[in-house]
Every structure is written in C-alpha cells, then in structure tokens.
Amino acid sequence: MLVAKQKRAIALMESYADLPMDFADASLVVLAEYLEHGRILTVDRRDFLTYRWNNTQPFENLIRMSEA
C-alpha cells in the first residue's frame, strides 16, 4: 500500500508540475484521498484552491482568510 501511495504522490507532482507541487503538498492530497474528505488547515491558499483530491474534489480550507 505504501508504494501505491508514493506512486500516487509522484503522479500528482507530475500532474501539477506547473505550480509546482512539492512532496509535502502531494502527501496531503494523498492523505485526503485516503481519509475520503478534503478538509484542510493551510495558509497555502493559492495551491489548495487549485489542487483536487480524487482528481475532481476541491479542498475545503478550514482557515477562513478575509478577502480584504
């Protein structure tokens, strides 16, 4: 199972290479897929607005940052 998750993280980094996605971010996406929810607590708002878990599901950032 660990090898499959590592391969998924690598595939995500390749898929989001234009951002680029680092291994830490890829690991959080893989964890969201494993836990079957996209609730995340991060200040990395730009990237996690772009990333999708299970390829289509947007993340819900639990840090509500003002738009001001």
Short mmCIF file of all heavy atoms in Angstrom, two decimals:
data_model
loop_
_atom_site.label_atom_id
_atom_site.label_comp_id
_atom_site.label_asym_id
_atom_site.label_seq_id
_atom_site.Cartn_x
_atom_site.Cartn_y
_atom_site.Cartn_z
N MET A 1 0.82 -1.19 0.00
CA MET A 1 0.00 0.00 0.00
C MET A 1 0.86 1.26 0.00
O MET A 1 0.53 2.23 -0.66
CB MET A 1 -0.94 0.00 1.20
CG MET A 1 -1.82 1.21 1.17
SD MET A 1 -3.07 1.51 2.45
CE MET A 1 -3.21 0.12 3.44
N LEU A 2 1.97 1.25 0.72
CA LEU A 2 2.84 2.41 0.80
C LEU A 2 3.40 2.76 -0.58
O LEU A 2 3.43 3.94 -0.95
CB LEU A 2 3.98 2.17 1.80
CG LEU A 2 4.97 3.31 1.97
CD1 LEU A 2 4.25 4.56 2.47
CD2 LEU A 2 6.06 2.91 2.95
N VAL A 3 3.80 1.77 -1.34
CA VAL A 3 4.35 2.01 -2.67
C VAL A 3 3.30 2.65 -3.57
O VAL A 3 3.59 3.59 -4.32
CB VAL A 3 4.90 0.70 -3.29
CG1 VAL A 3 5.28 0.91 -4.74
CG2 VAL A 3 6.09 0.21 -2.48
N ALA A 4 2.06 2.20 -3.47
CA ALA A 4 0.98 2.77 -4.27
C ALA A 4 0.76 4.24 -3.91
O ALA A 4 0.54 5.08 -4.80
CB ALA A 4 -0.30 1.98 -4.07
N LYS A 5 0.85 4.58 -2.64
CA LYS A 5 0.67 5.96 -2.21
C LYS A 5 1.84 6.83 -2.66
O LYS A 5 1.65 7.99 -3.06
CB LYS A 5 0.49 6.02 -0.70
CG LYS A 5 -0.72 5.21 -0.25
CD LYS A 5 -1.51 5.88 0.79
CE LYS A 5 -2.68 5.08 1.26
NZ LYS A 5 -3.62 4.67 0.27
N GLN A 6 3.05 6.28 -2.65
CA GLN A 6 4.21 7.01 -3.15
C GLN A 6 4.07 7.27 -4.65
O GLN A 6 4.34 8.38 -5.13
CB GLN A 6 5.50 6.24 -2.87
CG GLN A 6 5.87 6.21 -1.42
CD GLN A 6 7.01 5.25 -1.14
OE1 GLN A 6 7.23 4.27 -1.84
NE2 GLN A 6 7.75 5.53 -0.08
N LYS A 7 3.61 6.28 -5.38
CA LYS A 7 3.40 6.44 -6.81
C LYS A 7 2.32 7.48 -7.09
O LYS A 7 2.44 8.27 -8.02
CB LYS A 7 3.04 5.11 -7.46
CG LYS A 7 4.21 4.16 -7.56
CD LYS A 7 3.81 2.87 -8.25
CE LYS A 7 4.99 1.92 -8.34
NZ LYS A 7 4.64 0.67 -9.01
N ARG A 8 1.27 7.50 -6.28
CA ARG A 8 0.21 8.49 -6.44
C ARG A 8 0.76 9.90 -6.20
O ARG A 8 0.45 10.83 -6.93
CB ARG A 8 -0.95 8.19 -5.49
CG ARG A 8 -2.04 9.22 -5.48
CD ARG A 8 -2.79 9.29 -6.79
NE ARG A 8 -3.88 10.25 -6.68
CZ ARG A 8 -4.28 11.04 -7.66
NH1 ARG A 8 -3.72 10.97 -8.85
NH2 ARG A 8 -5.26 11.89 -7.48
N ALA A 9 1.59 10.06 -5.16
CA ALA A 9 2.20 11.37 -4.86
C ALA A 9 3.07 11.83 -6.02
O ALA A 9 3.01 13.00 -6.42
CB ALA A 9 3.00 11.30 -3.56
N ILE A 10 3.84 10.93 -6.58
CA ILE A 10 4.69 11.28 -7.72
C ILE A 10 3.83 11.67 -8.92
O ILE A 10 4.12 12.66 -9.61
CB ILE A 10 5.65 10.12 -8.06
CG1 ILE A 10 6.68 9.98 -6.94
CG2 ILE A 10 6.32 10.33 -9.41
CD1 ILE A 10 7.48 8.69 -6.98
N ALA A 11 2.76 10.93 -9.16
CA ALA A 11 1.86 11.25 -10.28
C ALA A 11 1.22 12.63 -10.08
O ALA A 11 1.09 13.40 -11.04
CB ALA A 11 0.79 10.18 -10.41
N LEU A 12 0.85 12.95 -8.85
CA LEU A 12 0.29 14.27 -8.56
C LEU A 12 1.30 15.38 -8.82
O LEU A 12 0.97 16.41 -9.41
CB LEU A 12 -0.19 14.34 -7.12
CG LEU A 12 -1.49 13.61 -6.81
CD1 LEU A 12 -1.66 13.42 -5.31
CD2 LEU A 12 -2.68 14.38 -7.39
N MET A 13 2.55 15.18 -8.38
CA MET A 13 3.59 16.18 -8.61
C MET A 13 3.83 16.40 -10.10
O MET A 13 4.03 17.53 -10.54
CB MET A 13 4.88 15.80 -7.89
CG MET A 13 4.77 15.92 -6.38
SD MET A 13 6.33 15.66 -5.50
CE MET A 13 6.64 13.94 -5.84
N GLU A 14 3.75 15.33 -10.88
CA GLU A 14 3.90 15.46 -12.33
C GLU A 14 2.69 16.19 -12.92
O GLU A 14 2.84 17.04 -13.79
CB GLU A 14 4.07 14.09 -12.96
CG GLU A 14 5.39 13.45 -12.63
CD GLU A 14 5.49 11.99 -13.06
OE1 GLU A 14 4.48 11.41 -13.51
OE2 GLU A 14 6.60 11.43 -12.95
N SER A 15 1.51 15.88 -12.43
CA SER A 15 0.28 16.49 -12.93
C SER A 15 0.23 17.99 -12.64
O SER A 15 -0.25 18.77 -13.46
CB SER A 15 -0.92 15.79 -12.29
OG SER A 15 -2.11 16.44 -12.59
N TYR A 16 0.72 18.39 -11.47
CA TYR A 16 0.69 19.80 -11.06
C TYR A 16 2.07 20.45 -11.19
O TYR A 16 2.38 21.40 -10.47
CB TYR A 16 0.19 19.92 -9.63
CG TYR A 16 -1.28 19.62 -9.45
CD1 TYR A 16 -1.70 18.40 -8.94
CD2 TYR A 16 -2.25 20.56 -9.80
CE1 TYR A 16 -3.06 18.13 -8.76
CE2 TYR A 16 -3.60 20.30 -9.63
CZ TYR A 16 -4.00 19.08 -9.12
OH TYR A 16 -5.33 18.83 -8.95
N ALA A 17 2.88 19.99 -12.11
CA ALA A 17 4.25 20.49 -12.26
C ALA A 17 4.30 21.98 -12.57
O ALA A 17 5.28 22.64 -12.26
CB ALA A 17 4.98 19.70 -13.34
N ASP A 18 3.24 22.52 -13.15
CA ASP A 18 3.23 23.94 -13.50
C ASP A 18 3.13 24.85 -12.27
O ASP A 18 3.42 26.03 -12.36
CB ASP A 18 2.11 24.25 -14.48
CG ASP A 18 0.74 23.86 -13.95
OD1 ASP A 18 0.62 22.81 -13.31
OD2 ASP A 18 -0.21 24.62 -14.20
N LEU A 19 2.72 24.33 -11.10
CA LEU A 19 2.62 25.19 -9.91
C LEU A 19 3.97 25.47 -9.27
O LEU A 19 4.18 26.62 -8.89
CB LEU A 19 1.67 24.56 -8.89
CG LEU A 19 0.19 24.65 -9.24
CD1 LEU A 19 -0.65 23.99 -8.17
CD2 LEU A 19 -0.26 26.06 -9.46
N PRO A 20 4.88 24.66 -9.02
CA PRO A 20 4.89 23.20 -8.94
C PRO A 20 4.38 22.70 -7.59
O PRO A 20 4.37 23.44 -6.63
CB PRO A 20 6.36 22.86 -9.10
CG PRO A 20 7.08 24.02 -8.49
CD PRO A 20 6.21 25.23 -8.76
N MET A 21 3.98 21.43 -7.56
CA MET A 21 3.55 20.79 -6.32
C MET A 21 4.76 20.10 -5.70
O MET A 21 5.47 19.37 -6.39
CB MET A 21 2.47 19.75 -6.61
CG MET A 21 2.03 18.95 -5.40
SD MET A 21 0.87 17.62 -5.79
CE MET A 21 -0.67 18.45 -5.54
N ASP A 22 4.99 20.34 -4.40
CA ASP A 22 6.09 19.65 -3.73
C ASP A 22 5.57 18.36 -3.07
O ASP A 22 4.37 18.09 -3.07
CB ASP A 22 6.80 20.55 -2.73
CG ASP A 22 5.90 21.09 -1.63
OD1 ASP A 22 4.86 20.46 -1.33
OD2 ASP A 22 6.25 22.13 -1.05
N PHE A 23 6.50 17.56 -2.54
CA PHE A 23 6.12 16.28 -1.96
C PHE A 23 5.19 16.44 -0.75
O PHE A 23 4.29 15.64 -0.54
CB PHE A 23 7.36 15.46 -1.59
CG PHE A 23 7.03 14.06 -1.17
CD1 PHE A 23 6.65 13.11 -2.11
CD2 PHE A 23 7.08 13.69 0.16
CE1 PHE A 23 6.33 11.81 -1.73
CE2 PHE A 23 6.76 12.39 0.56
CZ PHE A 23 6.39 11.46 -0.39
N ALA A 24 5.41 17.50 0.04
CA ALA A 24 4.55 17.73 1.21
C ALA A 24 3.11 17.96 0.77
O ALA A 24 2.18 17.36 1.34
CB ALA A 24 5.07 18.92 2.01
N ASP A 25 2.89 18.80 -0.23
CA ASP A 25 1.54 19.04 -0.73
C ASP A 25 0.94 17.78 -1.32
O ASP A 25 -0.23 17.46 -1.09
CB ASP A 25 1.53 20.15 -1.78
CG ASP A 25 1.75 21.54 -1.18
OD1 ASP A 25 1.79 21.67 0.05
OD2 ASP A 25 1.87 22.49 -1.97
N ALA A 26 1.73 17.04 -2.09
CA ALA A 26 1.25 15.79 -2.68
C ALA A 26 0.84 14.80 -1.59
O ALA A 26 -0.18 14.12 -1.72
CB ALA A 26 2.32 15.18 -3.59
N SER A 27 1.60 14.76 -0.51
CA SER A 27 1.27 13.87 0.60
C SER A 27 -0.06 14.24 1.24
O SER A 27 -0.85 13.36 1.62
CB SER A 27 2.37 13.92 1.66
OG SER A 27 3.59 13.46 1.13
N LEU A 28 -0.35 15.54 1.34
CA LEU A 28 -1.63 15.97 1.90
C LEU A 28 -2.79 15.61 0.98
O LEU A 28 -3.87 15.24 1.47
CB LEU A 28 -1.61 17.47 2.17
CG LEU A 28 -0.68 17.90 3.31
CD1 LEU A 28 -0.63 19.42 3.39
CD2 LEU A 28 -1.12 17.31 4.63
N VAL A 29 -2.59 15.68 -0.31
CA VAL A 29 -3.63 15.28 -1.25
C VAL A 29 -3.89 13.77 -1.13
O VAL A 29 -5.03 13.32 -1.07
CB VAL A 29 -3.29 15.67 -2.70
CG1 VAL A 29 -4.32 15.14 -3.68
CG2 VAL A 29 -3.17 17.19 -2.83
N VAL A 30 -2.82 12.99 -1.07
CA VAL A 30 -2.95 11.54 -0.91
C VAL A 30 -3.65 11.21 0.41
O VAL A 30 -4.52 10.34 0.45
CB VAL A 30 -1.56 10.85 -1.00
CG1 VAL A 30 -1.65 9.38 -0.62
CG2 VAL A 30 -0.98 11.00 -2.40
N LEU A 31 -3.31 11.93 1.47
CA LEU A 31 -3.98 11.71 2.75
C LEU A 31 -5.47 12.03 2.67
O LEU A 31 -6.30 11.29 3.20
CB LEU A 31 -3.31 12.54 3.85
CG LEU A 31 -3.88 12.40 5.25
CD1 LEU A 31 -3.77 10.96 5.75
CD2 LEU A 31 -3.18 13.36 6.20
N ALA A 32 -5.81 13.12 2.00
CA ALA A 32 -7.23 13.47 1.82
C ALA A 32 -7.96 12.36 1.08
O ALA A 32 -9.10 12.01 1.43
CB ALA A 32 -7.35 14.79 1.07
N GLU A 33 -7.33 11.80 0.08
CA GLU A 33 -7.95 10.70 -0.67
C GLU A 33 -8.13 9.48 0.23
O GLU A 33 -9.18 8.82 0.18
CB GLU A 33 -7.12 10.37 -1.90
CG GLU A 33 -7.14 11.48 -2.92
CD GLU A 33 -6.19 11.29 -4.07
OE1 GLU A 33 -5.29 10.41 -4.01
OE2 GLU A 33 -6.34 12.04 -5.05
N TYR A 34 -7.15 9.21 1.07
CA TYR A 34 -7.23 8.07 1.98
C TYR A 34 -8.34 8.27 3.02
O TYR A 34 -9.10 7.35 3.33
CB TYR A 34 -5.88 7.87 2.67
CG TYR A 34 -5.87 6.77 3.70
CD1 TYR A 34 -5.83 5.43 3.30
CD2 TYR A 34 -5.92 7.06 5.05
CE1 TYR A 34 -5.84 4.42 4.24
CE2 TYR A 34 -5.93 6.05 6.00
CZ TYR A 34 -5.88 4.73 5.59
OH TYR A 34 -5.89 3.73 6.52
N LEU A 35 -8.45 9.50 3.55
CA LEU A 35 -9.45 9.80 4.58
C LEU A 35 -10.83 10.07 3.98
O LEU A 35 -11.81 10.16 4.71
CB LEU A 35 -9.01 11.02 5.40
CG LEU A 35 -7.74 10.83 6.23
CD1 LEU A 35 -7.34 12.15 6.89
CD2 LEU A 35 -7.93 9.73 7.27
N GLU A 36 -10.88 10.22 2.68
CA GLU A 36 -12.11 10.47 1.93
C GLU A 36 -12.80 11.77 2.31
O GLU A 36 -14.02 11.86 2.39
CB GLU A 36 -13.07 9.28 2.05
CG GLU A 36 -12.49 8.02 1.47
CD GLU A 36 -13.42 6.83 1.53
OE1 GLU A 36 -14.45 6.88 2.24
OE2 GLU A 36 -13.11 5.84 0.85
N HIS A 37 -11.99 12.81 2.55
CA HIS A 37 -12.52 14.16 2.72
C HIS A 37 -11.42 15.17 2.42
O HIS A 37 -10.25 14.86 2.53
CB HIS A 37 -13.15 14.40 4.09
CG HIS A 37 -12.16 14.51 5.22
ND1 HIS A 37 -11.42 15.65 5.44
CD2 HIS A 37 -11.82 13.64 6.17
CE1 HIS A 37 -10.65 15.46 6.50
NE2 HIS A 37 -10.88 14.25 6.95
N GLY A 38 -11.83 16.35 2.05
CA GLY A 38 -10.88 17.38 1.65
C GLY A 38 -10.82 18.56 2.59
O GLY A 38 -10.47 19.66 2.17
N ARG A 39 -11.14 18.35 3.85
CA ARG A 39 -11.00 19.43 4.83
C ARG A 39 -9.54 19.57 5.20
O ARG A 39 -8.89 18.60 5.59
CB ARG A 39 -11.85 19.15 6.06
CG ARG A 39 -13.34 19.21 5.77
CD ARG A 39 -14.16 18.97 7.03
NE ARG A 39 -13.79 17.75 7.72
CZ ARG A 39 -14.44 16.60 7.59
NH1 ARG A 39 -15.48 16.51 6.80
NH2 ARG A 39 -14.05 15.55 8.27
N ILE A 40 -9.01 20.78 5.06
CA ILE A 40 -7.59 21.00 5.31
C ILE A 40 -7.40 22.34 6.01
O ILE A 40 -8.19 23.26 5.85
CB ILE A 40 -6.80 20.94 3.98
CG1 ILE A 40 -5.32 20.88 4.23
CG2 ILE A 40 -7.17 22.10 3.07
CD1 ILE A 40 -4.53 20.41 3.03
N LEU A 41 -6.35 22.43 6.80
CA LEU A 41 -6.00 23.64 7.51
C LEU A 41 -4.66 24.10 6.95
O LEU A 41 -3.63 23.51 7.24
CB LEU A 41 -5.90 23.34 9.01
CG LEU A 41 -5.79 24.50 9.97
CD1 LEU A 41 -7.08 25.29 9.98
CD2 LEU A 41 -5.50 23.98 11.36
N THR A 42 -4.68 25.15 6.12
CA THR A 42 -3.44 25.58 5.47
C THR A 42 -3.47 27.06 5.15
O THR A 42 -4.54 27.63 4.91
CB THR A 42 -3.18 24.78 4.17
OG1 THR A 42 -1.94 25.20 3.59
CG2 THR A 42 -4.29 24.98 3.15
N VAL A 43 -2.29 27.67 5.16
CA VAL A 43 -2.16 29.04 4.69
C VAL A 43 -1.75 29.05 3.22
O VAL A 43 -1.66 30.11 2.60
CB VAL A 43 -1.16 29.87 5.53
CG1 VAL A 43 -1.68 30.03 6.96
CG2 VAL A 43 0.22 29.24 5.52
N ASP A 44 -1.51 27.89 2.66
CA ASP A 44 -1.14 27.74 1.24
C ASP A 44 -2.41 27.77 0.39
O ASP A 44 -2.78 26.81 -0.28
CB ASP A 44 -0.38 26.43 1.05
CG ASP A 44 0.27 26.31 -0.31
OD1 ASP A 44 0.10 27.23 -1.14
OD2 ASP A 44 0.94 25.30 -0.54
N ARG A 45 -3.08 28.88 0.45
CA ARG A 45 -4.40 29.02 -0.15
C ARG A 45 -4.38 28.87 -1.67
O ARG A 45 -5.23 28.19 -2.25
CB ARG A 45 -4.95 30.39 0.25
CG ARG A 45 -6.35 30.62 -0.18
CD ARG A 45 -6.82 31.93 0.39
NE ARG A 45 -8.12 32.23 -0.17
CZ ARG A 45 -8.68 33.39 -0.09
NH1 ARG A 45 -8.07 34.37 0.53
NH2 ARG A 45 -9.85 33.59 -0.62
N ARG A 46 -3.44 29.55 -2.33
CA ARG A 46 -3.40 29.53 -3.80
C ARG A 46 -3.32 28.11 -4.34
O ARG A 46 -4.11 27.72 -5.19
CB ARG A 46 -2.20 30.34 -4.30
CG ARG A 46 -2.06 30.33 -5.82
CD ARG A 46 -0.76 30.98 -6.25
NE ARG A 46 0.39 30.25 -5.73
CZ ARG A 46 1.20 29.52 -6.48
NH1 ARG A 46 1.01 29.41 -7.76
NH2 ARG A 46 2.22 28.89 -5.94
N ASP A 47 -2.39 27.33 -3.82
CA ASP A 47 -2.20 25.97 -4.35
C ASP A 47 -3.40 25.08 -4.03
O ASP A 47 -3.86 24.33 -4.89
CB ASP A 47 -0.92 25.35 -3.80
CG ASP A 47 0.33 26.01 -4.37
OD1 ASP A 47 0.21 26.75 -5.38
OD2 ASP A 47 1.41 25.79 -3.82
N PHE A 48 -3.92 25.15 -2.80
CA PHE A 48 -5.01 24.25 -2.43
C PHE A 48 -6.36 24.67 -2.99
O PHE A 48 -7.32 23.91 -2.95
CB PHE A 48 -5.03 24.01 -0.92
CG PHE A 48 -4.00 22.98 -0.51
CD1 PHE A 48 -2.72 23.36 -0.17
CD2 PHE A 48 -4.31 21.63 -0.55
CE1 PHE A 48 -1.76 22.42 0.16
CE2 PHE A 48 -3.36 20.68 -0.23
CZ PHE A 48 -2.09 21.07 0.13
N LEU A 49 -6.44 25.87 -3.57
CA LEU A 49 -7.62 26.21 -4.37
C LEU A 49 -7.55 25.53 -5.73
O LEU A 49 -8.56 25.29 -6.37
CB LEU A 49 -7.72 27.74 -4.56
CG LEU A 49 -8.25 28.52 -3.37
CD1 LEU A 49 -8.14 30.02 -3.63
CD2 LEU A 49 -9.69 28.14 -3.05
N THR A 50 -6.33 25.22 -6.16
CA THR A 50 -6.11 24.57 -7.46
C THR A 50 -6.15 23.05 -7.35
O THR A 50 -6.73 22.39 -8.21
CB THR A 50 -4.75 25.00 -8.03
OG1 THR A 50 -4.72 26.43 -8.12
CG2 THR A 50 -4.51 24.41 -9.40
N TYR A 51 -5.52 22.49 -6.32
CA TYR A 51 -5.44 21.04 -6.17
C TYR A 51 -6.83 20.42 -6.02
O TYR A 51 -7.73 21.03 -5.46
CB TYR A 51 -4.62 20.64 -4.94
CG TYR A 51 -3.19 21.12 -4.92
CD1 TYR A 51 -2.55 21.34 -3.72
CD2 TYR A 51 -2.47 21.32 -6.09
CE1 TYR A 51 -1.24 21.76 -3.66
CE2 TYR A 51 -1.15 21.75 -6.05
CZ TYR A 51 -0.54 21.97 -4.84
OH TYR A 51 0.75 22.38 -4.79
N ARG A 52 -6.95 19.19 -6.49
CA ARG A 52 -8.17 18.42 -6.34
C ARG A 52 -7.82 17.04 -5.79
O ARG A 52 -6.87 16.41 -6.22
CB ARG A 52 -8.89 18.25 -7.69
CG ARG A 52 -9.37 19.56 -8.30
CD ARG A 52 -10.51 20.12 -7.51
NE ARG A 52 -11.06 21.34 -8.06
CZ ARG A 52 -10.77 22.56 -7.62
NH1 ARG A 52 -9.90 22.73 -6.64
NH2 ARG A 52 -11.35 23.61 -8.15
N TRP A 53 -8.60 16.59 -4.81
CA TRP A 53 -8.41 15.22 -4.33
C TRP A 53 -9.38 14.34 -5.10
O TRP A 53 -10.43 14.79 -5.53
CB TRP A 53 -8.56 15.13 -2.81
CG TRP A 53 -9.87 15.50 -2.22
CD1 TRP A 53 -10.34 16.76 -1.98
CD2 TRP A 53 -10.88 14.61 -1.79
NE1 TRP A 53 -11.57 16.70 -1.42
CE2 TRP A 53 -11.94 15.39 -1.30
CE3 TRP A 53 -11.00 13.23 -1.76
CZ2 TRP A 53 -13.10 14.84 -0.79
CZ3 TRP A 53 -12.16 12.68 -1.24
CH2 TRP A 53 -13.19 13.46 -0.76
N ASN A 54 -8.97 13.11 -5.33
CA ASN A 54 -9.70 12.20 -6.23
C ASN A 54 -9.93 12.83 -7.60
O ASN A 54 -10.93 12.59 -8.25
CB ASN A 54 -11.03 11.74 -5.63
CG ASN A 54 -10.85 10.69 -4.55
OD1 ASN A 54 -9.78 10.11 -4.43
ND2 ASN A 54 -11.86 10.46 -3.77
N ASN A 55 -9.01 13.68 -8.00
CA ASN A 55 -8.96 14.33 -9.32
C ASN A 55 -10.04 15.37 -9.56
O ASN A 55 -9.91 16.17 -10.48
CB ASN A 55 -8.98 13.30 -10.44
CG ASN A 55 -7.77 12.40 -10.42
OD1 ASN A 55 -6.66 12.86 -10.16
ND2 ASN A 55 -7.97 11.13 -10.65
N THR A 56 -11.12 15.38 -8.79
CA THR A 56 -12.21 16.32 -9.07
C THR A 56 -12.71 17.09 -7.85
O THR A 56 -13.39 18.10 -8.01
CB THR A 56 -13.42 15.59 -9.68
OG1 THR A 56 -13.89 14.61 -8.73
CG2 THR A 56 -13.07 14.90 -10.98
N GLN A 57 -12.41 16.63 -6.66
CA GLN A 57 -12.99 17.21 -5.44
C GLN A 57 -12.15 18.38 -4.92
O GLN A 57 -10.97 18.22 -4.66
CB GLN A 57 -13.11 16.14 -4.35
CG GLN A 57 -13.93 14.95 -4.73
CD GLN A 57 -15.36 15.33 -5.03
OE1 GLN A 57 -15.99 16.06 -4.27
NE2 GLN A 57 -15.88 14.87 -6.15
N PRO A 58 -12.75 19.56 -4.76
CA PRO A 58 -12.00 20.69 -4.22
C PRO A 58 -11.76 20.54 -2.71
O PRO A 58 -12.51 19.86 -2.02
CB PRO A 58 -12.90 21.89 -4.50
CG PRO A 58 -14.27 21.31 -4.53
CD PRO A 58 -14.13 19.92 -5.08
N PHE A 59 -10.70 21.18 -2.24
CA PHE A 59 -10.42 21.19 -0.80
C PHE A 59 -11.25 22.25 -0.11
O PHE A 59 -11.60 23.28 -0.69
CB PHE A 59 -8.93 21.46 -0.55
CG PHE A 59 -8.08 20.26 -0.76
CD1 PHE A 59 -7.57 19.96 -1.99
CD2 PHE A 59 -7.81 19.40 0.29
CE1 PHE A 59 -6.80 18.82 -2.20
CE2 PHE A 59 -7.04 18.28 0.11
CZ PHE A 59 -6.53 17.99 -1.13
N GLU A 60 -11.58 22.00 1.14
CA GLU A 60 -12.24 22.99 1.99
C GLU A 60 -11.20 23.45 3.01
O GLU A 60 -10.82 22.71 3.92
CB GLU A 60 -13.44 22.37 2.72
CG GLU A 60 -14.09 23.30 3.70
CD GLU A 60 -15.12 22.62 4.58
OE1 GLU A 60 -15.35 21.41 4.43
OE2 GLU A 60 -15.64 23.32 5.47
N ASN A 61 -10.73 24.68 2.85
CA ASN A 61 -9.73 25.23 3.77
C ASN A 61 -10.43 25.67 5.04
O ASN A 61 -11.34 26.50 5.01
CB ASN A 61 -8.97 26.38 3.13
CG ASN A 61 -7.75 26.79 3.92
OD1 ASN A 61 -7.58 26.38 5.06
ND2 ASN A 61 -6.91 27.59 3.31
N LEU A 62 -10.03 25.15 6.16
CA LEU A 62 -10.66 25.47 7.44
C LEU A 62 -10.20 26.82 7.99
O LEU A 62 -10.78 27.32 8.95
CB LEU A 62 -10.41 24.35 8.45
CG LEU A 62 -10.99 23.00 8.03
CD1 LEU A 62 -10.63 21.93 9.06
CD2 LEU A 62 -12.48 23.07 7.82
N ILE A 63 -9.16 27.40 7.39
CA ILE A 63 -8.75 28.75 7.74
C ILE A 63 -9.52 29.70 6.84
O ILE A 63 -9.36 29.69 5.63
CB ILE A 63 -7.23 28.98 7.57
CG1 ILE A 63 -6.45 28.12 8.55
CG2 ILE A 63 -6.90 30.47 7.77
CD1 ILE A 63 -4.95 28.28 8.44
N ARG A 64 -10.38 30.49 7.42
CA ARG A 64 -11.17 31.46 6.66
C ARG A 64 -10.38 32.77 6.63
O ARG A 64 -10.32 33.49 7.61
CB ARG A 64 -12.52 31.70 7.31
CG ARG A 64 -13.32 30.45 7.50
CD ARG A 64 -14.01 30.07 6.20
NE ARG A 64 -14.94 28.97 6.48
CZ ARG A 64 -14.97 27.89 5.76
NH1 ARG A 64 -14.17 27.72 4.75
NH2 ARG A 64 -15.84 26.94 6.05
N MET A 65 -9.77 33.04 5.50
CA MET A 65 -8.99 34.27 5.35
C MET A 65 -9.85 35.35 4.72
O MET A 65 -10.60 35.07 3.79
CB MET A 65 -7.74 34.01 4.52
CG MET A 65 -6.85 32.94 5.13
SD MET A 65 -5.40 32.62 4.17
CE MET A 65 -4.35 33.92 4.76
N SER A 66 -9.74 36.56 5.20
CA SER A 66 -10.54 37.65 4.64
C SER A 66 -10.07 37.98 3.24
O SER A 66 -8.91 37.78 2.89
CB SER A 66 -10.47 38.89 5.53
OG SER A 66 -9.17 39.43 5.48
N GLU A 67 -10.96 38.49 2.44
CA GLU A 67 -10.66 38.85 1.05
C GLU A 67 -10.10 40.26 0.97
O GLU A 67 -9.82 40.74 -0.11
CB GLU A 67 -11.94 38.74 0.20
CG GLU A 67 -12.50 37.33 0.12
CD GLU A 67 -11.57 36.37 -0.62
OE1 GLU A 67 -10.90 36.81 -1.56
OE2 GLU A 67 -11.54 35.20 -0.23
N ALA A 68 -9.97 40.96 2.09
CA ALA A 68 -9.52 42.36 2.08
C ALA A 68 -8.08 42.51 1.70
O ALA A 68 -7.27 41.69 1.71
CB ALA A 68 -9.75 42.99 3.45
#
